[in-house]
Amino acid sequence: MTDECINVSEAAERAHLERVRTSIKLDLDKLGHSVDSQYSDVIELKHYLQENKTDMDHAEKASVRQSIEQMAMIGDHSAKRKRQLHKLYQNAYFGRIDFRPGAGQAVHPVYIGIHAFHDHDRNLHLVHDWRAPIASMFYDFELGEAFFDAPEGRVDGALILKRQYRIKQGTLEFMLETSLNIHDEILQQELSRASDDKMKNIVATIQRDQNAIIRNAHTHALVIQGAAGSGKTSIALHRIAFLLYKFKDNISAKDILIISPNNVFAHYISKVLPELGEEMIQATTMEALGDYLLDYKVPFQSFYEQVATLLEARDDGYSDRILFKAMPDFLDRLEDYARHVRNSNLRAADLEAGGHSLPAAWIAERFHRCGAMPYARQINQVTEAIVSRMQLEYGLEITGKARAGVRTQLKKMFTCMDLLKLYRTFYDWLDRPDMFQTGPDKRYEYADVFPLIYLKMLLEGAQPHDRIKHLVIDEMQDYTSVQYQVIARLFRCRKTILGDQNQAVNPFSASSAETIRERMPYAECIHMNKSYRSTLQITQLAQQINRNERLIPIARHGDEPDLIFCADTEEEFDIIRQRVQAFLDADHNSLGVICKTQKQARTLFDRLRDLDDRIHLLHAGSTTFNGGVSVATAHLTKGLEFDQVIVPFCNAANYRSLMDRHMLYVACTRAMHKLSLTHTGNCSPFLRAVGAGKPARHPPARPAAHKLCPA
């Protein structure tokens, strides 16, 4: 501590907080009156337009409408700022650094909050936005030498003081001095809190390595391989918030798209950006993107249905087809086939234009010159060549209907333009007709959707979605090389791609950070190895199921996971009901009852639903995550977290394959504080090390039925 610092004591800090809150309240009151006035002005102008539109000319109407739009925009901006000030009034800041920019220069405290606040009356910057350049030092440096990158260049100096605060409803609960990045006590308290029904912002506890990812503004494609519970999705969203702040003149929320695993997950993360003062970005799923790219004309199985089929049907042929289409050389063969089709599908013929005939040989030679292009571009190129020849040789202008007639003749020279037929023929060309099969309802298998789309792009071309300026892809491990190739052609913008190979729900076609770089060689790969979500005891169990050699668990301790042996299925149902009832009677926010298959989840839900109306079943059509008790499959809970998790039916028959191992790992790593697993008969081989040499923990009821997990 140095005598240069102000507000040194806790009493002085409390007084400073009240002064800041008073200034915020004054601005909040002024803004409230301004918003009300702006709203009234817009309503008045709308009434004026409605009442006088018959007497107004076109120019006057346009002028009034423009005024309404401008006033509405100003009003929206004021309303957004009002919401920000209200949050600041409740929680003005969470950190402070005192920075001396150079020897002999004055030291001023820099208070850091979720939004910035400037007292215009006194011309004082009372709170700095966590994304501001100077605020980066709070996350990156200990006391001593430090620097930040200002717009005009690097500023070197020294951190003299560093503090963290817990402010709740305007009251300073405590403050901590720290010489490290983020004080462990603060982090542990945040991690120990109960979960919410939506993902929370983490601005007060961002770590140094996380901050580097968030503020990475130069990488065109950032691929984040993150361990379960590492906070990779949260970090990706905070990165988006930072980019919206840094490049606010060039990018807005409407320019960003996230491809999320399902609608439940999209709802779960929907609170983060609005909490950070930004609008929520657009979200879609890979299935929705596929449907759009196929013009909604090709019915196909969803990824959810693919996973369900793999888990329930045990169809080796089905698995073989998925694996075949995920192999690295499959993409190359598809591109070879597209070239073959372009070369062999053309039957050049004499062409009539402007009363003159062009020979088939000349037409064929022109097509050959642009043979590497998609059909549409080939036809455009050859059409232009014909138009130019008619002009040079005969002085004829080929326009309008005559030009359309030339294009029609050129299109007819292609023997097959049926995409679906060409795709089916691809497997005959490979001499692997067994690798293509539609379902009994004639729907395409999910593994065929993006190969079909990519063939369409190769043959017909694709219009890049340049309106999107940043693309976020979550659960990257569940997408294949073909899907990434489609994405690369469709979205040429910057990208943030994240996932965890250990959480692949379909190991037959999983992608790693390294395989993604093969399709996007310009991408930068980063590993997030620290796991924050689960207690050390839960993390250790998960490591025994599916080991991640790079994982670094945070040492937050809790109860050992319960591994409960049940004499029969009825007892297993009884045990689960007791655990669910105990949760409902306690003060917790969320419990996940996570099964392997949807059929198991439905059966269990039917046995539990009478307990309480806070028990929900998640399924493929679910769109929200509501907290309480969620009965679901591991697939649908990816990315979610729960205070407590129960994993039923952990017997050797239910969890035995490689895919089962991944599902069990996903289920267990959803738990923050408490994990229970139940089984009848022999437990899964993935859990045998857990029960060996120590008794399982049991609920109080029916203790005689519980014993060690059979080895």
Side-chain angles (χ1 to χ4, degrees), residues 99-102 146-148 154-158:
F99 179 67
R100 181 193 289 122
F147 69 87
F148 68 96
R154 174 167 159 167
V155 179
D156 290 285

Side-chain angles (χ1 to χ4, degrees), residues 71 83 89 108 121 145 211 304 322 324 375 507 558 605 706:
M71 292 173 67
R83 291 192 295 271
Y89 187 66
H108 296 288
D121 293 338
E145 291 184 3
N211 192 48
Y304 177 86
I322 294 172
F324 181 79
Y375 288 147
F605 174 73
H706 304 152

Side-chain angles (χ1 to χ4, degrees), residues 530-545:
K530 288 184 181 178
S531 180
Y532 300 92
R533 176 186 297 138
S534 305
T535 63
L536 182 62
Q537 288 76 13
I538 293 171
T539 300
Q540 287 172 339
L541 180 143
Q543 282 286 79
Q544 292 172 2
I545 295 170

Side-chain angles (χ1 to χ4, degrees), residues 403-438:
R403 194 186 190 99
V406 168
R407 292 177 58 83
T408 299
Q409 292 180 71
L410 293 175
K411 287 180 182 179
K412 289 180 179 179
M413 295 180 190
F414 291 96
T415 58
C416 180
M417 299 288 281
D418 185 334
L419 177 66
L420 300 185
K421 183 177 179 180
L422 288 170
Y423 183 71
R424 291 192 298 270
T425 305
F426 168 54
Y427 294 95
D428 295 327
W429 182 77
L430 289 175
D431 199 24
R432 292 301 306 270
D434 57 311
M435 287 295 106
F436 177 78
Q437 183 174 314
T438 56

Side-chain angles (χ1 to χ4, degrees), residues 469-507:
K469 297 179 181 177
H470 199 104
L471 180 71
V472 181
I473 304 173
D474 207 344
E475 303 298 342
M476 68 182 188
Q477 70 279 356
D478 291 333
Y479 307 128
T480 64
S481 294
V482 179
Q483 287 173 307
Y484 282 110
Q485 194 73 358
V486 169
I487 288 169
R489 286 187 173 229
L490 200 61
F491 300 101
R492 299 183 294 190
C493 59
R494 294 179 180 271
K495 301 175 182 68
T496 302
I497 306 171
L498 55 143
D500 176 17
Q501 195 172 13
N502 278 14
Q503 296 183 63
V505 295
N506 179 6

Side-chain angles (χ1 to χ4, degrees), residues 442-483:
K442 301 302 180 185
R443 288 194 306 161
Y444 274 55
E445 293 179 350
Y446 183 74
D448 286 305
V449 175
F450 282 86
L452 175 63
I453 290 169
Y454 189 48
L455 181 63
K456 180 183 180 184
M457 287 182 165
L458 292 170
L459 296 178
E460 301 176 10
Q463 183 65 37
H465 284 219
D466 290 334
R467 182 181 62 82
I468 299 299
K469 297 179 181 177
H470 199 104
L471 180 71
V472 181
I473 304 173
D474 207 344
E475 303 298 342
M476 68 182 188
Q477 70 279 356
D478 291 333
Y479 307 128
T480 64
S481 294
V482 179
Q483 287 173 307

